[in-house]
Amino acid sequence: NLAACWSRLGRIGRAEPDFEEQLAELRLQTLESVGEWGDHGLSNLVHALAKLRLSGAEWQPLWLAAERTALAQVSSFEAQATSNTAWSYAKARRRAPELFDAIAAAAPARLRAMSPQALSNTAWAYATARHPAPALLEAIAVEAAPRLGEFNTQALSNTAWAYASAGHAAPRLFDALAAEATRRLPDFSPQGVANIAWAFATARHPARPLFDAIAREAPARLSSFREQHLSNLAWSFAIAPTSAVSTAPALFDAIAAAAVPRLGEFTPQGLTNLAWAYAEVAHPAPELYEAIGHRIGTAPERHPTSCLTTVLWAM
């Protein structure tokens, strides 16, 4: 069964260097028959293609054939297939506006049957694809808010990220997300902590208890934060509504201490965001500023003019 084969491949992941060459025969066989597949097989196929990062020129006919077949059937897709298909095309960065429109029209009737992960993935897909679907996002918000206790922490942070990225106001959902995330914050990964802070700051949604919990919880865990997470966390506390956060001096001290020995691993944008955040909240961090100045001074050509200008302003 070709669909089952793709499903197994998606779970295994990429393996040997000539992995794609080994799939040539399977690709051709699938292309010949995919027009007759149903929703389960189609969603397994595109999910595997996305996870395996199969997007080169030789894979384009198969992606397009799957899209045409899905368009003809999406109104009758089951809930999981609906979510998986949207997620897959977004994950693979495939432009498929007709398919996204068709899924957005069909999905609201299936939301009650979607798992928490499927709800989160569907919202994430539309935000990632930057495909407007306000009615769908509103319907997901209504369905998800009372069920957030069933979401795992990654689904909570991904849902918050999706609505903030899409610029879709969902105050009741954000209120529920804030309460649930505050309760379970110790269980969040470093990326989840940074992402949910970024989401609430970007959405400009007040959540003082959540930000206070992050300010208490994060300092002891910053050694496990990646550089992007450190700069995003500082940026989030700097840009959040003043009514939503305290000054969090201990958190800013801890971020500076964690960042200084690792500045060589920061991207130019990460350095810029970090310097801007400390200047925006007027938090003294002389060692951090000195280290940033040294990093940029030794290789100014690696930093875009906009980044240099912002860092100079901050310092």
Side-chain angles (χ1 to χ4, degrees):
N1 184 294
L2 293 176
C5 182
W6 281 110
S7 180
R8 287 194 295 272
L9 283 170
R11 290 194 295 270
I12 294 170
R14 295 180 71 96
E16 301 170 13
D18 61 346
F19 177 71
E20 292 194 35
E21 294 178 16
Q22 295 179 29
L23 295 181
E25 184 61 30
L26 177 61
R27 170 169 51 81
L28 293 174
Q29 290 180 16
T30 304
L31 182 59
E32 290 177 359
S33 64
V34 72
E36 302 171 4
W37 290 21
D39 64 338
H40 185 69
L42 282 170
S43 64
N44 281 346
L45 168 63
V46 295
H47 192 264
L49 293 177
K51 290 195 71 174
L52 296 170
R53 305 188 302 281
L54 300 175
S55 57
E58 68 274 25
W59 294 97
Q60 301 312 305
L62 183 54
W63 275 107
L64 292 171
E67 181 181 342
R68 288 192 298 269
T69 306
L71 267 172
Q73 300 181 28
V74 72
S75 62
S76 60
F77 270 24
E78 292 184 355
Q80 191 62 47
T82 302
S83 175
N84 282 353
T85 302
W87 180 91
S88 301
Y89 275 82
K91 179 69 173 177
R93 299 294 193 267
R94 298 286 307 180
R95 283 189 54 79
E98 287 185 71
L99 179 58
F100 276 109
D101 282 343
I103 292 173
R110 294 165 177 73
L111 296 182
R112 185 63 56 87
M114 284 191 184
S115 67
Q117 190 65 55
L119 290 170
S120 177
N121 284 353
T122 304
W124 179 91
Y126 279 82
T128 299
R130 298 183 179 181
H131 189 92
L136 172 60
L137 289 178
E138 189 60 32
I140 292 174
V142 171
E143 177 65 29
R147 296 174 58 187
L148 292 181
E150 306 168 28
F151 282 50
N152 63 30
T153 55
Q154 182 179 357
L156 290 173
S157 62
N158 284 352
T159 300
W161 177 91
Y163 279 81
S165 296
H168 186 94
R172 291 185 180 179
L173 175 63
F174 271 93
D175 284 343
L177 282 166
E180 193 65 28
T182 300
R183 184 175 71 84
R184 288 199 268 161
L185 193 63
D187 299 328
F188 275 67
S189 68
Q191 182 177 356
V193 173
N195 281 357
I196 204 155
W198 179 92
F200 275 82
T202 300
R204 308 291 289 175
H205 189 89
R208 181 67 175 265
L210 173 60
F211 277 95
D212 284 349
I214 293 172
R216 291 192 304 269
E217 170 77 19
R221 300 174 56 191
L222 292 182
S223 61
S224 62
F225 278 53
R226 294 176 59 184
E227 295 72 35
Q228 182 181 351
H229 304 152
L230 292 174
S231 61
N232 282 356
L233 190 58
W235 181 91
S236 299
F237 270 75
I239 202 173
T242 54
S243 60
V245 298
S246 62
T247 54
L251 175 61
F252 276 94
D253 285 343
I255 292 174
V260 166
R262 296 160 57 185
L263 283 184
E265 302 169 34
F266 278 70
T267 64
Q269 189 60 56
L271 280 180
T272 302
N273 289 349
L274 193 63
W276 179 89
Y278 277 78
E280 182 68 13
V281 299
H283 187 86
E287 291 185 8
L288 176 62
Y289 283 124
E290 182 179 352
I292 291 175
H294 177 74
R295 163 81 191 280
I296 292 177
T298 56
E301 70 282 356
R302 297 180 184 176
H303 298 79
T305 302
S306 59
C307 292
L308 291 173
T309 302
T310 302
V311 170
L312 289 172
W313 167 84
M315 298 174 67

